Amino acid sequence: MESRSLVTQPTPPGLKLPIAQIRSVFRPHDVERKLAKLPARDHEALRATYERMLERGPDRFQVQPSGIPDMGDLYAELPNFLDALDDVKRHLALSHDSGDGLEVTPMLLLGPPGIGKTHFARRLADLLGTGMNLVPMSSMTAGWLLSGASSQWKGSRPGKVFEALVDGQYANPVIVVDEIDKAAAEAQYDPLGALYGLLEHDTAGVFVDEFAEVAIDASQVVWIMTANDERAIPEPILNRMNVFEIEAPTREQARLIARNLYVGLRSDHGWGARFEPEPSDELLELLSELAPREMRRALMTGFGNARLANRDRIAAEDLPRAGSAKGKIGFLQ
């Protein structure tokens, strides 16, 4: 598939990665040929898919940095993801001032539950400005969610990769395969089978969704996998990714994460003006005992209880009580 330069407009305030190129993600001629061969009857869903592709056209925006963005806020917000952030920054530097679009080697974030792996992916998508498509493997019952199912099957439809590229606006969206180690392989269909080709740059450029049966350029997709246990991931897939072992944050890192969450929640809501600009040391110490996943919920409960008590500062008694059966990251409301 081809890409061509797009004359960029002055970068609006706050936009760190301007859209700089247009890239074609499929060939309209291939779609027209498939549409012409469809029988006059039946295949309504497939016909509608081809017509939607032609109506939308093949061109998508491809993010390319005009400069290396300031990632200081991300480093402060995600202090236990420094190696992964450094890797992203290296890829941004390679793409800077070149004719190439942004290309990021697929990454696997490996670590225990609740430490912010999915949040990291969401913040990276925010940085790139291409949005995030989440594929939760723990609830995935069929491998075709990634690669589509044959139109011969009743109720079949395109897969998540096709939808992200054809229905989305970008040639390089962020696709997060969450809890890849939870995928249940079946004898008839390997849920991870599509990834063998999608994680290889050359084969991803001619990815064929099993529903549409038209080559799609998925070579620019930014892939982020999350997992708790690498032993459940096939070695050939591991070899296609940069693997980052994410540790639980240290006490000081946890305090920093809690502080940033407090400030962010306060600034994002109108009611935040009723509260002190900075959290107390006591509050940060209590929150540092929690997994990052639980901090936001604890803070929202704390803000609400403090407001009911007509106070401008969250006190220890405003936080949810820790559930003894769930350990330090569980709550009883």
Side-chain angles (χ1 to χ4, degrees), residues 17-21 62-66 95 97-102 172:
L17 294 176
I19 295 165
Q21 289 189 359
Q62 183 178 18
V63 166
Q64 181 189 22
S66 61
S95 181
D97 283 345
S98 75
D100 301 327
L102 176 62
N172 54 347

Side-chain angles (χ1 to χ4, degrees), residues 72-143:
D73 289 346
L74 280 182
Y75 278 94
E77 182 181 340
L78 301 161
N80 53 329
F81 287 81
L82 301 184
D83 289 343
L85 288 170
D86 285 346
D87 191 57
V88 171
K89 198 168 188 176
R90 282 191 289 269
H91 286 92
L92 290 171
L94 287 174
S95 181
H96 171 46
D97 283 345
S98 75
D100 301 327
L102 176 62
E103 186 177 320
V104 179
T105 302
M107 61 172 58
L108 171 65
L109 306 177
L110 184 65
I115 60 173
K117 298 186 296 292
T118 306
H119 178 66
F120 168 89
R122 194 176 305 279
R123 293 293 286 117
L124 177 58
D126 291 342
L127 173 72
L128 302 182
T130 61
M132 187 182 90
N133 299 268
L134 183 66
V135 183
M137 299 299 278
S138 60
S139 60
M140 185 169 167
T141 58

Side-chain angles (χ1 to χ4, degrees), residues 313-324:
R313 182 179 290 271
I314 299 176
E317 61 266 25
D318 295 325
L319 297 179
R321 289 184 294 118
S324 57

